[in-house]
Amino acid sequence: MSQAIGNTALAYARVWHHVDASDRILGKLAERIAIVLMGKHKPVFDPSLDCGDYVVVTNARKVKVTGKKADQIIYRHHTMYPGNLKEIKYKDMMKRKPDEIIRKAVSGMLPKNKLRDRRLERLRIFEGDDMGIFAENILKRWEDGTMR
């Protein structure tokens, strides 16, 4: 028999996806990005393996949230010094680091295990249209918000 049986190298090959975050809802966008980073869209998905793809997000500054979340969301982190709990509101974070908003949303939707950091390394986020050298790698684009 000349047919390969089982999982081939082509099934595990990583593809680069491009997402334009303009006028997209943050939660729905983060959910779809997390699915691609985990590899759940592939037929060879295995939770214990890291078989996800790369994702490049552009126009991070134009992402939207629904309802009153723009006024209510607060990002917190601690500097590990006594009394140094830092709080940043969504609107301030959008002015300073809009890429961190998407990164934190995607991070919250990934499984909390040893593969999480490796999966997040495959996520590239840019504030504007320019994605630099990564534009040459793109094979799939999400025009309508779906992965296919």
Side-chain angles (χ1 to χ4, degrees):
M1 293 180 71
S2 63
Q3 292 180 344
I5 298 174
N7 299 330
T8 62
L10 187 60
Y12 285 102
R14 297 193 195 277
V15 177
W16 287 73
H17 297 260
H18 173 248
V19 185
D20 187 9
S22 298
D23 299 325
R24 295 273 175 90
I25 306 300
L26 177 63
K28 293 179 181 182
L29 178 68
E31 173 199 8
R32 295 195 180 174
I33 292 171
I35 287 172
V36 173
L37 289 175
M38 285 187 282
K40 278 192 161 186
H41 65 293
K42 294 185 175 185
V44 293
F45 172 70
D46 183 15
S48 63
L49 295 177
D50 190 16
C51 60
D53 292 340
Y54 290 88
V55 178
V56 178
V57 181
T58 55
N59 293 320
R61 196 172 288 283
K62 298 179 184 175
V63 75
K64 305 228 184 250
V65 289
T66 58
K68 297 180 180 178
K69 292 185 196 121
D71 300 323
Q72 294 174 344
I73 295 177
I74 297 175
Y75 296 98
R76 294 182 176 93
H77 73 278
H78 203 284
T79 63
M80 303 312 286
Y81 284 97
N84 273 351
L85 176 67
K86 303 292 184 184
E87 293 183 345
I88 303 172
K89 293 184 178 181
Y90 173 84
K91 290 182 178 179
D92 296 333
M93 183 78 113
M94 184 58 87
K95 291 175 188 171
R96 289 187 206 162
K97 297 188 250 177
D99 56 324
E100 275 302 305
I101 291 175
I102 296 176
R103 190 175 317 281
K104 286 180 182 285
V106 172
S107 175
M109 294 189 184
L110 288 173
K112 282 67 174 176
N113 57 23
K114 293 181 180 181
L115 298 176
R116 183 186 204 182
D117 291 333
R118 237 191 302 171
R119 288 171 173 160
L120 278 175
E121 286 175 1
R122 289 196 307 271
L123 176 63
R124 307 281 200 267
I125 305 171
F126 298 98
E127 293 180 22
D129 283 331
D130 184 33
M131 58 181 118
I133 197 167
F134 298 112
E136 300 169 7
N137 298 337
I138 303 299
L139 290 178
K140 294 189 177 181
R141 300 184 190 282
W142 303 357
E143 301 299 335
D144 58 347
T146 60
M147 289 173 282
R148 301 189 198 289

